[in-house]
Structures are given as structure tokens and as C-alpha cells.
Amino acid sequence: MRNVERYPVEGPNALWQVYHTVSRLKAVRNFIAIQAARYCPELTVKNWIYRRILGMKVGKQTAFALMVMVDVFFPEKIEIGDNTIIGYNTTILTHEYLIKEYRLGNVKIGSHVMIGANTTILPGVTIGDHAVIAAGSIVHKDVPAYTFVGGNPIREIRRTDTELN
């Protein structure tokens, strides 16, 4: 199971009650910053937005491709190591709003990780150093270091104790 904290709600579904957990001002500010970063072709500017405006921990030489969507409500729960690539149109979530509860979980992505395009990373997962995530994958559980995974849901494709080729 993923490492998430669960918060039960009463009344309408948890998403309907989102502004009890995050301020409207924060949501609007984050949305504007994320949209700017999604379309920005300059990697240093993107990383500045992620670090300074959104509060993410982003390592040196980490590259976010165009259209990456980070969590709009809790981006500060995302930590990414050095020299990692986040592929085109990837989504990184740190929250889940369900009918009777919402869940929050940190996402930790190691160093030298390659995440393929159109991947979705769910809250509460850790991706180890030197891991590779195939394009189009749903990351619903932790991925050990030096592991190549892919699919929906992910499954191990290959594991090695040395650099993946």
C-alpha cells in the first residue's frame, strides 16, 4: 500500500470540500505557476518556479519536459533528486479526493531517474535512484532503485545492480 494519510469527511464528497483543506488563494497561485511552468521551454526558469513559488524540492540538473502537471494543491510534498528527467505530459499527484475521504502522500523521486512521457505518479510513492519508468505507466507503488518498470499498473520489467541501459 502507498504511504498516504487518510482524512474522512462527512457530507458531500471530499473534492466538493477541497477549500476546507487548501485555501483558494493557494490553489489559484499554484495553478497560475504550474501553467507557466508547463509551457516554459527554459529548464532553469521551470525549476525556479517549482522551487521558489511552489515549494518543491528539485535537485540539480533535473529536467521537466513540456506539459508536466504537478499537484496543484500540495506541490510542496514533491521531492525530486539530481539529474532526473520527468517526461512530457507526466502527472505527479500528492492528493486524492474521494467520496468519503481524501488522502495526502509525499512523492519522492530519486536521482538519475528517467520517467517516460504520459506517466501518472500517485500520492505516497517513492521512486529509487536510477529507476526507469516506461512511458504511459501508472506508478501506484514504490519503485526500487535500479529497476525498470512499466504498464498500468506498473510491473517490473528488469532489475540490475548497475546502470540501466
Side-chain angles (χ1 to χ4, degrees):
M1 189 64 173
R2 291 177 282 129
N3 186 18
V4 294
E5 297 173 7
R6 298 168 182 259
Y7 300 92
V9 298
E10 293 186 27
N13 69 67
L15 187 55
W16 191 254
Q17 302 179 53
V18 68
Y19 297 114
H20 296 177
T21 57
V22 63
S23 77
R24 285 176 170 84
L25 181 61
K26 178 183 178 185
V28 170
R29 181 200 66 199
N30 289 356
F31 176 80
I32 292 167
I34 289 165
Q35 292 306 312
R38 290 184 81 193
Y39 290 95
C40 178
E42 176 55 46
L43 297 176
T44 56
V45 173
K46 281 183 189 237
N47 286 352
W48 183 88
I49 292 169
Y50 291 135
R51 289 179 186 125
R52 302 286 183 231
I53 297 176
L54 298 174
M56 294 169 50
K57 293 180 181 88
V58 178
K60 296 175 185 172
Q61 281 76 48
T62 286
F64 292 84
L66 288 173
M67 302 307 290
V68 170
M69 183 68 188
V70 300
D71 193 279
V72 70
F73 297 133
F74 303 98
E76 68 275 7
K77 292 181 168 288
I78 299 171
E79 181 179 334
I80 303 171
D82 297 334
N83 197 39
T84 287
I85 296 174
I86 310 295
Y88 177 85
N89 205 37
T90 288
T91 301
I92 305 172
L93 296 172
T94 61
H95 79 271
E96 296 174 309
Y97 286 93
L98 307 172
I99 300 294
K100 296 184 184 274
E101 72 177 7
Y102 67 94
R103 302 172 187 165
L104 302 177
N106 294 335
V107 171
K108 295 182 181 177
I109 301 170
S111 295
H112 311 284
V113 173
M114 173 62 210
I115 297 175
N118 296 307
T119 293
T120 299
I121 301 170
L122 297 179
V125 300
T126 297
I127 300 172
D129 294 342
H130 299 275
V132 175
I133 313 297
S137 297
I138 306 293
V139 182
H140 70 289
K141 62 182 179 180
D142 290 351
V143 177
Y146 294 99
T147 303
F148 178 27
V149 299
N152 177 11
I154 59 168
R155 63 177 176 78
E156 186 175 305
I157 296 170
R158 182 176 52 172
R159 183 171 167 89
T160 177
D161 291 329
T162 60
E163 186 175 329
L164 293 170
N165 295 322

